[in-house]
Amino acid sequence: MKVPFFRHSIGEEEIRAVIDVLRSPFLTTGDKNEELEHLLSDYLGVRHALTTSSCTSALHLALIALGIGRGDRVVVPALTFMATANVVIHVGARPVFVDVDPATGLMNLNQLEDILRRQSIKAAIPVHIYGQMVDMGALSGMSERYGFHIIEDAAHSLEAVRRGIKPGQLSRFACFSFYATKNITSGEGGALVFNDSSHYERLKRMRLHGMSLSARERHGKFVKYDMPEPGWKYNMTNFQAAMLIPQLKRIEELHRRRSAIVNRYKQAFGPFSFPRIIEEDGTRSAYHLTGILLEDREKIARELTRRGIGVSAHYPTPVPLLRWYRETFGYEKGMFPGAEYIADRIITLPLYPSLTQEEQDYVIRTVQEVAGI
Ligand SMILES: Cc1ncc(COP(=O)(O)O)c(C=O)c1O
């Protein structure tokens, strides 16, 4: 049997929605983006949403909106996808890496507080990794005490809640990804959500070169536009938005499937299963990624691949230990024990709503056999 690491949940409804846009005259950012933005802000209970070309561009725009740049320090967890830290580099600021809890992969808030006592920090980008949220109540308390902005990297956690709080509700910005393997996807894509209305017009402009009028606003009219300041090409197309709308409308149903699959893995793998699920009232994971931690990862992952099971490692190297960060800032092995513990052991497993019971049984049986667990 072959079980791929990922299968998207695009069905006939999404295909029809894309075809409808393709048959219309308007392909670039348009009415479907606006509809998706309203659905997203309603779903998250925040005031504004803007669709973007990716989560990376959303994170970049959030840093720009807050005026973060040269000479500023921005906290980033050591275990994340490189994009979280790279955007800090792109605005000319310096990432300050904080280790993560080896049981959950989430940023260690005690270590963060130690850093805040010693250094002045302009912003923090907590990552709700694997689908569970950093304790935003605790983090926003710290942001008030020490005076820094919070930008949430919620690429993994659209459906997540922690103590009744959703991404975007206790921060300046939360950024989402609709990349090919995310819980809902348009191949590439992202969104930025926020409550402060004073950012809206500027960010809408900055995601499209800084133009004062978008193509949609100029469509069918002869009007001149201006450019108050140069922006980026960070907009999402109308057909990408169209394929996300039906997925967002059935996100709870998709989430129930993901949750059931993770529960079966947990039961099967017991103490080897990872991450530990946070059990607090009003809290749930988006169940984006799940896996196991094993000492002999390389050999076992290769054997699982040989037996037709798609596996991955999120992430195989903590960001500060990637070559450029090591060479530029002098980070070394041993500096981030929590992140290194996970990175050296993690195998992420197939997790998607269309994974059948038979497929999951095959994954479980094979992992148990190969890993001897
Ligand atoms: C935690 C995290 N942050 C940011 C990103 C960047 O997302 P995108 O590919 O939409 O730019 C990803 C993508 O995989 C991610 O996993």
Side-chain angles (χ1 to χ4, degrees), residues 155-207:
H156 295 184
S157 61
L158 181 56
E159 310 94 312
V161 187
R162 180 114 186 224
R163 293 178 192 267
I165 300 298
K166 294 180 177 181
Q169 292 185 333
L170 288 186
S171 62
R172 297 283 177 178
F173 293 98
C175 302
F176 298 88
S177 175
F178 306 120
Y179 173 69
T181 55
K182 295 296 189 274
N183 288 15
I184 66 171
T185 179
S186 46
E188 300 287 350
L192 178 67
V193 307
F194 49 101
N195 281 306
D196 181 348
S197 303
S198 70
H199 291 301
Y200 186 78
E201 287 304 324
R202 180 173 182 225
L203 284 174
K204 193 157 152 270
R205 244 188 0 252
M206 295 301 264
R207 76 171 173 184

Side-chain angles (χ1 to χ4, degrees), residues 299-323:
K299 205 168 120 226
I300 292 165
R302 264 196 297 276
E303 182 58 19
L304 292 173
T305 311
R306 202 187 64 77
R307 296 194 190 195
I309 297 172
V311 295
S312 189
H314 292 77
Y315 294 89
T317 310
V319 177
L321 300 183
L322 293 170
R323 190 171 118 201

Side-chain angles (χ1 to χ4, degrees), residues 229-296:
E229 58 180 326
W232 284 266
K233 187 65 173 45
Y234 280 171
N235 57 315
M236 176 196 274
T237 66
N238 216 18
F239 50 89
Q240 285 173 305
M243 73 194 276
L244 286 163
I245 290 168
Q247 293 178 77
L248 184 54
K249 286 185 175 163
R250 59 195 170 89
I251 197 165
E252 291 303 312
E253 176 195 327
L254 296 170
H255 181 263
R256 276 192 291 280
R257 263 308 288 157
R258 303 187 84 90
S259 160
I261 292 164
V262 169
N263 277 328
R264 286 193 80 217
Y265 279 141
K266 297 256 157 231
Q267 273 169 17
F269 301 134
F272 297 96
S273 102
F274 175 84
R276 177 174 63 75
I277 298 296
I278 298 166
E279 297 191 2
E280 287 170 358
D281 283 349
T283 298
R284 73 172 193 183
S285 173
Y287 296 119
H288 176 54
L289 292 167
T290 194
I292 40 180
L293 295 186
L294 295 170
E295 294 296 329
D296 207 356

Side-chain angles (χ1 to χ4, degrees), residues 52-108:
T52 55
S53 55
S54 67
C55 181
T56 308
S57 52
L59 288 164
H60 189 193
L61 287 175
L63 289 165
I64 300 289
L66 295 170
I68 292 162
R70 211 152 292 284
D72 293 331
R73 280 191 290 264
V74 178
V75 160
V76 173
L79 193 73
T80 179
F81 186 59
M82 58 193 80
T84 320
N86 288 355
V87 289
V88 176
I89 299 295
H90 295 326
V91 296
R94 160 100 202 237
V96 175
F97 290 100
V98 173
D99 202 10
V100 302
D101 178 345
T104 60
L106 294 168
M107 182 159 72
N108 181 329

